[in-house]
């Protein structure tokens, strides 16, 4: 029996189950057998060989889920602390991003994966848009497979149009070798739709459809993507369930209606939107349109890998906006609409649902997989 097969019981903690009722148990235990949660409750009987962990005074919660993190950029962790989005684009898209070698992507992904796990983020979408060649992609996957966590590779390449790299023989060969039946938790295609009426991105959407994988796209980013990209996706039938729209901060009600009506969700990176300038963090609008939300850190070139900071900033940005909107009509907010509990949901179950993995992760319920399995 390997260590990972040994039963584990966590004792006497404050358990945030994040089940459908958001049940909270005080002084409770969580029993894990065979890599799955067997039982949650009080005074559980554990197998004799179970590893006992005293969780007194601590919180036991599901591992957090980040739906958008450019892990290859972790090699430059903290370098852009004072950047705007414009400076980021110049550095990564125009000047230095193309200098990254496969070993640089490997280094960033390795550090990024460890940083995620160290922060309690047990499932991360590696929004990997620095894959200039499939050698870079192999290096990215090598690093992700070397770290015990769940990683979804969102394949992208900002040095080419998505209609170019996604239709290449090299990409198809990589998919067969590393993804189909591989060890990663999932796979997405990652590219943006700036709104050119020619809509060449159609070819990449067709590849995603053929492979049966989802698309994730930076949508509603001030100065980069807008309603035109959403409209083109909609008119061509590519706004499908499971599509993850990142930021979605500068969109019209029409676009929000389209996202809501087609089963998409939005990955909100509040620290990024506030500092880089994609637009005001949109949760206050997404709530109005009943659009599912997940959270993300975006990139460690500015921010940390800590999703607790995403939860705190998302809560305060939403409340700040609610107060501002009320004051503009001489009203007063007496009770916040967005509750702390809801933001914890977005950081756990919200991400699991966005990735279609909520039957396995995102809640401490029997049969779910705990953080470390
Ligand atoms: Zn991003």
């Amino acid at each position: 029996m390997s260590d990972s097969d040994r039963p584990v019981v966590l004792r006497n903690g404050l358990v945030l189950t994040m089940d459908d009722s958001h049940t909270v148990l005080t002084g409770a235990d969580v029993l894990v057998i065979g890599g799955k949660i067997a039982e949650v409750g009080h005074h559980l009987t554990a197998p004799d060989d179970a590893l006992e962990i005293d969780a007194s005074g601590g919180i036991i919660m599901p591992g957090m889920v980040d739906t958008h993190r450019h892990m290859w950029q972790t090699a430059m962790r903290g370098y852009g602390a004072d950047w705007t989005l414009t400076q980021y684009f110049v550095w990564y898209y125009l000047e230095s991003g193309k200098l990254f070698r496969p070993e640089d992507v490997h280094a960033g992904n390795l550090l990024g994966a460890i940083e995620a796990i160290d922060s309690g983020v047990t499932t991360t979408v590696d929004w990997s848009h620095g894959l200039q060649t499939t050698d870079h992609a192999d290096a990215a996957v090598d690093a992700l497979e070397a770290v015990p966590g769940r990683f979804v590779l969102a394949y992208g390449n900002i040095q080419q149009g998505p209609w170019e790299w996604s239709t290449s023989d090299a990409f198809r060969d990589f998919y067969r070798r590393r993804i189909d039946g591989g060890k990663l938790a999932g796979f997405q295609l990652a590219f943006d739709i700036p709104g050119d009426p020619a809509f060449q991105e159609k070819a990449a959407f067709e590849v995603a459809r053929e492979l049966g994988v989802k698309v994730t796209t930076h949508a509603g980013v001030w100065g980069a993507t807008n309603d035109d990209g959403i409209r083109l996706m909609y008119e061509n039938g590519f706004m499908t369930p499971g599509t993850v729209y990142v930021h979605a901060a500068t969109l019209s009600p029409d676009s929000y209606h389209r996202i809501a009506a087609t089963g998409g969700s939005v990955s909100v990176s509040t620290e990024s939107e506030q500092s880089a300038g994609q637009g005001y963090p949109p949760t206050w609008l997404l709530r109005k349109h009943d659009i599912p939300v997940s959270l993300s850190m975006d990139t460690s070139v500015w921010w940390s890998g800590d999703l607790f900071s995403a939860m705190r900033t998302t809560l305060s940005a939403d409340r700040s906006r609610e107060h501002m909107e009320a004051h503009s009509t001489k009203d007063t907010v007496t009770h916040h609409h967005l509750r702390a509990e809801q933001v914890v949901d977005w950081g756990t179950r919200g991400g699991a649902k966005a990735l279609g993995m909520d039957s396995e992760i995102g809640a401490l319920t029997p049969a779910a997989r705990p953080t470390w399995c």
Side-chain angles (χ1 to χ4, degrees), residues 68 70 88 129 218 246-247 298:
H68 153 243
H70 307 295
Y88 167 86
H129 55 358
H218 293 109
V246 176
H247 301 306
D298 203 347

Side-chain angles (χ1 to χ4, degrees), residues 335-353:
H335 296 72
H336 289 124
H337 279 96
L338 184 60
R339 316 301 290 180
E341 178 180 329
Q342 182 59 47
V343 178
V344 176
D345 185 294
W346 288 344
T348 52
R349 287 163 59 97
K353 287 177 184 168

Side-chain angles (χ1 to χ4, degrees), residues 76-151:
M76 300 301 294
R77 195 172 189 278
Y79 179 70
D82 295 319
W83 278 354
T84 61
L85 195 60
T86 303
Q87 290 169 294
Y88 167 86
F89 281 150
V90 169
W91 202 89
Y92 272 110
Y93 283 58
L94 300 179
E95 293 180 349
S96 303
K98 64 186 74 163
L99 302 179
F100 277 62
R101 303 162 301 174
E103 52 264 51
D104 301 321
V105 170
H106 185 273
N109 268 29
L110 196 60
L111 181 58
I114 292 168
E115 180 184 41
I117 295 297
D118 187 50
S119 307
V121 181
T122 51
T123 304
T124 307
V125 174
D126 177 23
W127 221 102
S128 193
H129 55 358
L131 304 180
Q132 301 173 65
T133 69
T134 49
D135 289 343
H136 292 73
D138 278 316
V141 175
D142 286 345
L144 298 180
E145 289 183 349
V147 176
R150 288 184 205 86
F151 300 101

Side-chain angles (χ1 to χ4, degrees), residues 7 90 100 109 116 138 256 259 294 323 364:
V90 169
F100 277 62
N109 268 29
D138 278 316
Y256 289 124
I259 294 171
S294 63
H323 287 301
L364 297 180

